[in-house]
Amino acid sequence: MNAELNPFRRLILAALAAPWLGGLAVAPTGAQAQPAWPGKPVRIVVPFAAGGTTDILARSLAPELQKAFGQPFVVDNKPGAGGNSGAAEVAKSAPDGYTLLMGTVGTHAINSALYPKMPFDPVKDFAPITMMAGVPNVLVLNPAFAQKYGINSVADFIRAAKANPGKFNMASSGNGTSIHLAGELFKSMTGSYMVHFPYRGSGPALIDLIGGSVDLMFDNLPSALPQIKAGKLKALAVTSATRSAALPDLPTIAEAGGPALKGYEASSWFGLMAPAGTPPEVVARLQQENAKALLSPALKERLQAQGAIPGGMSSPAFVSFIAAESQKWAAVVKASGAKVD
């Protein structure tokens, strides 16, 4: 009897064991077990307060990346120390593709020359993905302040600033930003003196500028442009080497400033960064989708309307660009005598 039942027993045991054995046969390796990226929301850290150009660009890009990858790309403002606080947080984050930085010319080309001690290494601690956009800055004044001193041009401004040393208050989005350095370069080339008031981003600085708490600013064009068009700010000139298509009738500072400002240029740029060690395939996918988004008519037109020039360069090209910008701005910092105050 037992001998007759054994075949059935063997069949039952084999049936019970089959799922377990099959699981062993198809069990993925450690590499295969990794979920496809992105499998959850991705955070884009903006190292300045809401309302400035860095924030505007990040919020313009996030929906495009969400459409491309099928996961939310959430903008997280982390202002402080001229962008260093937010950048340092990203540098110390896990290199898994879920924490990115909207870096700037300040965080990655200026601050290392301006700050005696940095909380991160802008070269070693990041994997540059792509430059999103380049923008000129624009010299803007509170209209009542401009009227008080009879300022209608860059020449008027130089005259008034030199006649009133220390009486003009110059706002910026933070120490070491291009907005700060554009003003410092202007001061050094014209021999004028203005008191610097650093804020935690363009947004709060613009609020005080419009309200009259500060007098002037060399703001990024995208954040200042709506206020210029609304008549809340008086624009004198752009800081780029050529005029901006967004304000074609506005001269450059080099054009309008006379011999003292010949060769003046202080433009800004913004780019997507990941922590060093982020998988190359993630960096490559982000670069590719960013470039595609910047070629889409909707985003391209939106950026150009704000005075921004869309980027999209490859990651290696972005690395070389940052290296060249670091050398350029280190020389500007030294020549201007700019300091963290």
Side-chain angles (χ1 to χ4, degrees):
M1 184 74 174
N2 287 344
E4 293 176 2
L5 289 175
N6 280 342
F8 294 98
R9 185 180 178 191
R10 285 196 297 271
L11 287 173
I12 293 170
L13 289 174
L16 291 172
W20 182 75
L21 291 172
L24 281 180
V26 299
T29 64
Q32 293 172 325
Q34 295 296 323
W37 180 92
K40 61 181 181 180
V42 177
R43 186 168 63 117
I44 302 177
V45 173
V46 168
F48 297 98
T53 296
T54 319
D55 182 69
I56 291 170
L57 293 178
R59 293 182 188 278
S60 297
L61 177 64
E64 301 298 324
L65 294 180
Q66 180 168 326
K67 282 190 284 186
F69 290 106
Q71 287 287 350
F73 278 69
V74 182
V75 175
D76 188 8
N77 297 88
K78 295 286 184 178
N84 281 351
S85 297
E89 180 177 323
V90 175
K92 296 169 185 174
S93 297
D96 54 10
Y98 290 102
T99 303
L100 308 175
L101 174 74
M102 185 57 76
T104 71
V105 61
T107 59
H108 280 73
I110 295 176
N111 287 1
S112 56
L114 189 68
Y115 283 79
K117 187 176 181 180
M118 289 283 286
F120 61 90
D121 186 314
V123 175
K124 295 180 180 178
D125 292 343
F126 289 91
I129 297 169
T130 190
M131 186 174 79
M132 185 183 176
V135 303
N137 292 359
V138 58
L139 172 55
V140 285
L141 280 60
N142 174 279
F145 166 80
Q147 184 177 19
K148 176 182 176 181
Y149 287 95
I151 300 172
N152 291 296
S153 67
V154 174
D156 290 341
F157 180 74
I158 295 171
R159 171 190 50 76
K162 294 180 79 170
N164 296 276
K167 292 184 179 179
F168 290 7
N169 296 328
M170 179 182 78
S172 83
S173 54
N175 284 310
T177 60
S178 69
I179 296 170
H180 172 203
L181 264 291
E184 294 294 345
L185 183 60
F186 186 95
K187 286 161 61 176
S188 69
M189 292 179 73
T190 59
S192 57
Y193 175 65
M194 297 171 278
V195 181
H196 176 218
F197 282 81
Y199 284 75
R200 292 167 67 86
S202 283
L206 283 171
I207 290 171
D208 276 6
L209 178 58
I210 293 167
S213 297
V214 288
D215 306 320
L216 64 115
M217 189 174 176
F218 290 78
D219 193 29
N220 300 142
L221 184 54
S223 49
L225 190 58
Q227 311 306 330
I228 294 169
K229 290 185 174 180
K232 295 180 180 180
L233 292 176
K234 183 177 183 66
L236 296 185
V238 291
T239 66
S240 47
T242 58
R243 296 191 181 200
S244 169
L247 293 171
D249 295 330
L250 200 65
T252 68
I253 285 180
E255 275 184 89
L261 288 166
K262 183 180 180 181
Y264 178 98
E265 182 185 3
S267 297
S268 303
W269 53 262
F270 306 82
L272 205 59
M273 316 273 185
T278 298
E281 60 271 22
V282 172
V283 171
R285 288 187 64 197
L286 281 165
Q287 189 280 327
Q288 290 161 7
E289 294 301 336
N290 195 333
K292 287 180 187 177
L294 291 172
L295 289 174
S296 68
L299 182 56
K300 191 174 182 179
E301 288 172 14
R302 193 183 317 149
L303 295 181
Q304 289 176 337
Q306 294 170 346
I309 302 168
M313 64 176 63
S314 69
S315 298
F318 192 28
V319 170
S320 299
F321 175 80
I322 292 171
E325 284 286 287
S326 297
Q327 290 183 348
K328 168 190 168 181
W329 284 102
V332 171
V333 170
K334 184 177 179 180
S336 68
K339 297 177 181 178
V340 174
D341 49 10

